[in-house]
Amino acid sequence: MHSLRHYSLAIVALLACMQARVATGQSWTISGYVEDTSSGERLQRVAIGVPALSVGTVSNAYGFYSLTVRADSVVLLASHIGYEAASYSLVLSADRTLDVALVPRTIELDEIEVRGEQGASLQPGWHTASLEQIKTLPAMLGEVDIQKTLQLLPGVQGGVEGSSGMHVRGGGLGQNLILLDGLPLYNPNHLFGFLSSFNASAMKHVELIKGGFPARYGGRISSVLNLTMKEGNLKKFAGEASIGILSSQVTLEGPLKKDQASFLVAARRTYLEPLVALARLFQNQPPLERTRYFFHDANLKLNYILSRRDRLYVSAYTGQDGWRSLSDFPNGQTERDHIDWFGHLASFRWNRALGARKFANTLIGVTNYRFQQRFNEVEEITTGQEDFEDVYNGKYFSSIRDVTIKTDIDYLPNPRHYVRVGLEGTLHRFTPGAAEAIFEAPGEDLVKIDRKPVGIVKSQELALYVENDLEIPGVVRMNPGIRFSIYFVDGRSHRSFEPRLSVRRSLWGEATLHASYTEMQQYVHLLQSNGFDGLSMDLWLPLAAGAHPLQARQVTTGFTYAWPTTGYDVSLDAYRKWMAGLVQYRGGVPPIESAYTEWPDLVETGDGSSYGFEAMVRKTQGRLTGWVAYTWARTTRQFENLNGGKSFPDRFDRRHDIAVVAQHRLAPGINISANWLFGSGYAIWLPSAQYLVTPAWDTFGNLLESSVVHYGPRNASRLPAYHRLDVSVRFSKRRAWGEQAFVVGAWNVYNKMNPFQLEIDTPYIQPGKFRRLTLFPLLPILSYNITF
Amino acid sequence: MLRMAGIIFILFLLGACESIIDVETPSDEHKIVAHSFFTPDSVWTVNTELSLHTSGFPVTLSSADPGQTVVVVSDDLGGVDTLRYNPEPSGDNYRSARGMRPRPGVTYTLRVEMPGFISSETLSPPAPAEASARLPERVPVQNIAYSNDNGTSLLSFSIADPPGNNYYRLELFQVGPEDTGPISNDTLFIRSAVEDVFNYREVDFRSTDPAFRFHYGAVGNLEQNEDINFDFYGRAVFSDDLFDGMSHNIEITFKPHTYPGFQPRFTIILSTLSYEMFTYLHTLDQHQQTASYYASEVYPIPVYTNIKNGFGVFGGYVTDTYRFDEEGNEW
């Protein structure tokens, strides 16, 4: 079937060559949008070209394209993975608008489409993940997770066992620019960081950029994760629903007014509470402690076609994780603990085609993240004469809220140039750690504590960029750009000029050589506690007096090659990254200390470095698809006040990383998927000795001996290697109303006890031994999904 | 179905598994540990030990063979004293047989060798341990004032801080009846008094002095203006960062222990510390405080050591003592 499609394309191309006539010197511009005929969704990164003239372009993130040709009669070809190619014969006597309608290719039941780019179109350091593939790869407990799938790519590491976070090319979690419909999302996690908060059913496009960043992206130094939500079906009502072990989700979309307005809503929620209650049935006595955990999230998208040139969108996301704990003690004391993580995002976007060669996208939006912990302690005191209660109420919280407005303009003067300019302004509002507490006791003064060491900090960030994706025919294709940003806080300002350059040269056939140089600057810091990432009290911070922005320079070089017709491609990348202005908690500082101390006093500041080599071989066609990815990397940190000022391995420094991903169609309606991961051990800082101390050998000579452990060089030890195999089988069946699928499998099939944490268990074990905590042994994968 | 879901969920909850594994760590086993807080008030005394692997039980720490350990203290004026093994109930140590005492302003060097101990790991004796430290000059307490209001005592005094970096430790003790615990909820235990006259009990105190905040760890903005009453459990370690070269007034409040029929008497001791001793005490405090946190929540704080090729500390202090009763009179 694939061969037939290639032949068809070749014939169409041949016809196009025959029909194209030599240009008369007059140039015409063909412009419009690319849409999916079944849903009306606009499609991005669709290749559009006139083969006879060897000119082409791709649709932008909003489906707009513009192609200027020197001919008065052309055959325009549009092709996109997963869609039938479309061709249009056009006679040109003026600029022409043409909306390209692509028909989804009829996919055989459960045939998995892998990616939307191949060969020369591969971009260095860019990955486009297929949503279909993300949904069908084995997922922990059956919970589909976009970020966990991205961890299978070279150069992306997950951090601690089971975490859904991304450490990209030696960077930290707070260095990823996670954009949901163009707005940054500060809390991409659920379940203490073990699941990402993106509902894959609501997404249309997922793109990860690790290097060679174009100038239009800024504000973070390590990666860009670009997520685009579906716009909502303009043609018909449709939906998806799934039931899993932890949670269920439903996604509905459809026209509000056919071909003019549509909506999409998606919601997901855990149902652990009844399961916990069920688990209590197996306990013999009433529990003293009752706990409850939940998360939920919801996505909304509205889409309205205002006119031929104008389109309006509303995007929204809300998510919450909650932990509730109630403890009853025999003495009448009760303790309640409520912990919540909130993430919200809402944006309004206006797309406008400014003539045939220009396109504008304007967005205004707000995004916020808030962590809060509330606790209440009540102690009943009986003196014999009277009964009374001591009551203690406390709250700790931290938050960040951004209001952003930005405009991007795409200008395509001719097929050799794609110019983008943009302006972006953000108002940040930080509350980096605050605590309130009230203590009430009869006969005593009410004690109130209100701690906000730095109060509310407001800062402003302004960025301006220009870039040009240009082609020098027969020589190179390059994307030079520059981004200027300025940041105001507390009467101070920081500026940044960030040059970007990405160059690609075709060697032969589908082989390309590429290189890039980028400089990035970041004005917000994320502080996380030692070892655990994304699990508890993430603290987003503004630049304080004396603090420096995060800065990174990265150079990359690489090679890509795609074998024609076979569906195989290979990419090799090498990178070197230098980072400055990194922060981490000082020794002994717990995150809650931020309620008492200004954050510069909580942290150490230093530099980082990372370099590595990444290789990936993929197979994207046939019954068996998948990839093998290998990363060799070294990441170090150097802080003046840590490790004696000497360089030391980063906590997530890992030398070797291998991911093998395979999907095989066993039979119509039966697909088997498997991942195998191997990672050499992360660096860890463990004690190297213990000895007696005499802290109270004081003025009076009293000896109070105790022992302390000595920590040797920082992160000089290694955790055991990590590896696991996940397998799932998907049984699907077409029904009159849609499709149903049942997924069953196992996560960590051979039950490898991968380390989540190491602890010393001093008195009870032999020297040289450590206690290893494993969170995720063999786990089931189970889900039931329907689409209609 | 519901029961099945419950079983699956319980399996998940039980999924957190622990096991014992080997991890290769840099080994600092069998290094020499030396501790000496030297002061002009006593003769040279040095405690020595050997470090063990982290996973051994602390009580199994093996002392160095006393007959094979050589402990030498020398000063920058050419004086040398080889200390003698001194078994004591409170802990064996090495002590000056000649009765030599350190003197303020002099820099001393400690050298400890254990040629007779062969490490099973390296099959050789541990490398000799060395350290140097200068004994600071004494800084006296001045302008002492004491008052008591409804059971809360207020003590104020000043110190004239010499130019340069100086480090201090303030301790407050109350004299109690022998062999009797304080009548309060305090959990203080009774110490045996070295001077065989009184039992000295630590007294907790509070202070808003910003300089004292340093005691609370690496964190804390010394210059923040808020009045925060910090608690100190018998002692405060602080530096002159905020009053370098100036006279500085210090105020502390405390509630004396109650001993029926026994008049409260107090002792404050201001020690001027060498940098080494100050940093050691400071990091040791922090190390022990943070040890209570879950291992992964905070980054650990290594205990400072100035012992080359080993662990422990070699640092000195000079004290100034003031004794007063509940009327504020010196005794």
Side-chain angles (χ1 to χ4, degrees), chain A residues 153-175:
Chain A
L153 298 171
V156 184
Q157 297 181 6
V160 297
E161 185 209 9
S163 165
S164 68
M166 295 194 304
H167 296 264
V168 181
R169 289 184 172 173
L173 296 185
Q175 298 167 10

Side-chain angles (χ1 to χ4, degrees), chain A residues 141 191 245-246 272 275-276 278-279 282 451 528-532 584-591 593 596-598 601-602 684-714 716-720 753 757-763 765-777 779-780 782, chain B residues 2-3 5-10 12-13 15-29 33 35-37 45-47 49-58 61 90-91 93 169 171 173 189 191-192 194-195 200 202 218-221 224 226 228 235 267 269 271 280-281 284 287-288 290 293-305 311-312 317 319:
Chain A
L141 297 167
L191 196 66
I245 294 174
L246 282 183
L272 286 168
L275 288 175
V276 171
L278 192 67
F282 296 87
R451 301 282 309 154
Q528 294 183 301
S529 52
N530 175 26
F532 289 6
Q584 74 166 54
Y585 278 113
R586 286 182 175 172
V589 177
E593 186 63 35
Y596 302 94
T597 309
E598 294 186 25
D601 293 322
L602 303 174
I684 188 169
W685 193 20
L686 293 175
S688 57
Q690 64 171 324
Y691 57 91
L692 290 180
V693 293
T694 54
W697 195 32
D698 56 20
T699 317
F700 296 98
N702 301 311
L703 278 170
L704 290 175
E705 290 186 338
S706 65
S707 71
V708 297
V709 291
H710 171 75
Y711 285 85
R714 207 173 180 95
S717 299
R718 293 278 161 176
L719 284 167
M753 292 292 164
Q757 184 60 37
L758 281 193
E759 292 173 8
I760 313 165
D761 197 5
T762 312
I765 60 174
Q766 299 170 10
K769 307 286 186 184
F770 289 84
R771 198 154 50 95
R772 171 180 58 186
L773 180 66
T774 298
L775 286 188
F776 301 108
L779 293 175
L782 205 60
Chain B
L2 202 59
R3 185 180 177 83
I7 290 170
I8 290 170
F9 179 68
I10 288 167
F12 171 64
L13 291 181
C17 306
E18 290 183 356
S19 50
I20 306 301
I21 59 167
D22 285 306
V23 176
E24 192 174 324
T25 59
S27 177
D28 285 317
E29 190 173 16
V33 182
H35 284 97
S36 179
F37 302 106
T45 306
V46 176
N47 283 53
E49 282 285 349
L50 282 169
S51 63
L52 279 186
H53 193 277
T54 47
S55 298
F57 191 44
L61 276 172
S90 59
N93 55 37
R169 176 178 63 184
E171 295 168 286
F173 295 93
F189 53 87
R191 299 174 172 196
S192 58
V194 171
E195 296 172 26
Y200 287 88
E202 287 176 338
V219 300
N221 183 351
Q224 58 190 0
E226 299 167 80
I228 302 172
R235 66 173 187 171
T267 297
I269 300 170
S271 301
Y280 174 81
L281 291 175
L284 181 61
H287 178 88
Q288 292 179 325
T290 56
Y293 283 106
Y294 185 56
S296 291
E297 191 178 347
V298 300
Y299 290 97
I301 297 179
V303 178
Y304 171 82
T305 179
F311 303 120
Y317 64 99
T319 62

